[in-house]
Amino acid sequence: MDAIEALTTTRAMRRLKPDPVPEALLKQVIHAATCASSPGNSQGWDFVVVRDPGQRKRIGDVVREQVLPRLVPIPEAAGPGASRDRMLRGAHHLANHFDQAPVVVFVCGASIYPPGNPMELFVPAALYPAAQNLIVAARALGLGTVFTTFHMMCEPEIREILGVPQTHRIQVTIPLGWPEGRFGPVKRKPVEQVIHWDRF
């Protein structure tokens, strides 16, 4: 698939089929993630790829208990066609069915710098490009994904389930699977509203 087409059609897929994803495809998307840029070629990333149904159920239970109640309520007056309404409904569906995603990828990284040191920003500076590579590669293979920060609302429990060491942070949580919906052009502001030629 053309890179520009993949980039401009990578919609957030919050409804995923439970069908398994072949390991070979998972290795492809993780390899693509590791091709991302990182400060000083530090490559400070680790990917926890959760496929085990028991692990997914434990994580799903935590997300339902701790994340779902904190999500913005779906406004009753909003019409089903409203973009924000669709997003909120999708987020609620994802939180309520988190364990049904056949794969959940936790993008993690270690920091060799003490908290408060400006160099600590090297960690997210590497992990977000890697996560973006992952979701675009998944799109090119027909797989659906969505960026979430659900882990931020239940990180101690998630860390314990996954055995993430204290030296590492979880930066992005990405459910992955075959999408129920269709890919298509993403809706964004016109480029004229965000581009500044030569100076702000």
Side-chain angles (χ1 to χ4, degrees), residues 76-160:
E76 293 182 15
S83 177
R84 179 173 165 76
D85 182 44
R86 282 198 308 272
M87 184 197 70
L88 290 174
R89 289 181 188 281
H92 280 257
H93 175 87
L94 179 63
N96 206 29
H97 300 86
F98 202 74
D99 54 339
Q100 293 179 23
V103 182
V104 182
V105 181
F106 293 86
V107 183
C108 306
S111 178
I112 61 173
Y113 302 100
N117 187 314
M119 299 298 282
E120 191 188 18
L121 294 175
F122 268 30
V123 180
L127 301 185
Y128 273 106
Q132 180 68 17
N133 271 22
L134 190 157
I135 69 166
V136 175
R139 165 65 187 104
L141 296 169
L143 292 163
T145 58
V146 61
F147 269 32
T148 84
T149 52
F150 282 178
H151 60 273
M152 294 176 68
M153 293 177 259
C154 49
E155 187 158 354
E157 292 81 0
I158 298 293
R159 296 180 71 88
E160 182 179 353

Side-chain angles (χ1 to χ4, degrees), residues 1 3 15 26 31 56 64 72 74 77-78 85 93 97 100-102 110 114-115 131 143 149 156-157 179 183 194:
M1 174 179 287
R15 290 179 169 83
L26 295 176
H31 172 68
R56 289 189 287 115
R64 263 189 299 276
V72 175
I74 301 170
D85 182 44
H93 175 87
H97 300 86
Q100 293 179 23
L143 292 163
T149 52
E157 292 81 0
F183 292 108
V194 298

Side-chain angles (χ1 to χ4, degrees), residues 158-194:
I158 298 293
R159 296 180 71 88
E160 182 179 353
I161 292 169
L162 300 177
V164 177
Q166 289 304 311
T167 53
H168 286 61
R169 67 166 65 174
I170 302 172
Q171 195 72 40
V172 188
T173 299
I174 304 176
L176 182 151
W178 303 107
E180 288 187 2
R182 293 180 297 176
F183 292 108
V186 297
K187 294 181 180 178
R188 297 292 185 267
K189 296 177 183 176
V191 69
E192 290 78 13
Q193 291 185 14
V194 298

